Amino acid sequence: MENEVKEKREQLISWLNDAYAMETDITRNLEGQMQQTEDTPEVHDKIQEHLEQTKSQAERVKACIQDLGGNISAIKSGLANMMGAAKGASTAMAEDKLIKNAIADYATEYFEIASYTALIDAAEELGEKKVAEVCRVIRNEEQEMAKWIEKQLPTAVHQFMSTSRG
Ligand SMILES: [Fe+2]
């Protein structure tokens, strides 16, 4: 029984490490997008705000891992690798990069929401209320960002379609 609890705590730590790797990946991705959005101040400001938020999320997740007595794992998680597709789109210097970034970022937010939803449930099952609460606050932040992108995307597409090129 005691072993079983220990194993489950280790599983939670491992999933938190996935989330930590995910946030670290997203930080790098958003840093790239900062340079690509210099012509669109509104998007640029929001990316900057979300970049700061993402760095803070990584720190908060790291603190949860340490509170549980775990270590930060340097091993690339399967989850972080799954984010690769979204990351690839944002580095392409295509004319429609803002749209591609928005689509990738939108998908990323929902990936994060799903990850934190699983973490909240796992933490609650183990009675780790503090971890569950941290994950709930982060999930709210991701949901707000997803809403902002959802609102922004049609405008960005409209602007792109109505601008003449070539
Ligand atoms: Fe995040």
Side-chain angles (χ1 to χ4, degrees), residues 1 12 14 24 55 67 110 112 129 134 150 154 157 161:
M1 186 64 193
L12 178 62
S14 159
T24 311
K55 283 181 186 166
D67 281 353
Y110 276 96
E112 293 189 84
K129 288 204 173 76
V134 169
E150 189 177 334
V157 171
M161 297 304 272

Side-chain angles (χ1 to χ4, degrees), residues 4-137:
E4 207 182 302
V5 172
K6 202 178 158 228
E7 258 174 42
K8 283 178 183 164
R9 273 174 69 94
E10 267 159 22
Q11 184 60 69
L12 178 62
I13 290 166
S14 159
W15 286 339
L16 283 164
N17 259 310
D18 286 341
Y20 179 73
M22 172 177 80
E23 296 297 359
T24 311
D25 251 24
I26 295 168
T27 298
R28 276 195 290 272
N29 184 14
L30 291 172
E31 275 163 358
Q33 288 187 38
M34 286 289 289
Q35 291 155 2
Q36 296 172 356
T37 52
E38 273 157 2
D39 300 339
T40 45
E42 198 192 333
V43 178
H44 188 80
D45 289 355
K46 190 68 185 177
I47 297 285
Q48 179 153 36
E49 185 191 309
H50 195 58
L51 172 61
E52 294 312 317
Q53 200 170 48
T54 301
K55 283 181 186 166
S56 143
Q57 289 169 347
E59 285 310 306
R60 281 177 273 164
V61 171
K62 187 176 167 184
C64 285
I65 295 167
Q66 288 165 343
D67 281 353
L68 290 168
N71 294 311
I72 304 299
S73 160
I75 301 161
K76 267 257 175 207
S77 72
L79 284 180
N81 289 339
M82 272 179 72
M83 310 280 298
K87 206 170 66 178
S90 67
T91 50
M93 289 302 287
E95 271 191 348
D96 60 347
K97 65 181 183 286
L98 270 190
I99 309 294
K100 283 182 172 151
N101 282 347
I103 294 169
D105 289 350
Y106 193 31
T108 299
E109 287 309 324
Y110 276 96
F111 190 91
E112 293 189 84
I113 290 165
S115 300
Y116 286 109
T117 299
L119 278 170
I120 292 162
D121 288 334
E124 271 172 357
E125 290 245 347
L126 286 168
E128 297 293 346
K129 288 204 173 76
K130 208 177 133 195
V131 174
E133 188 50 31
V134 169
C135 292
R136 200 172 274 116
V137 170

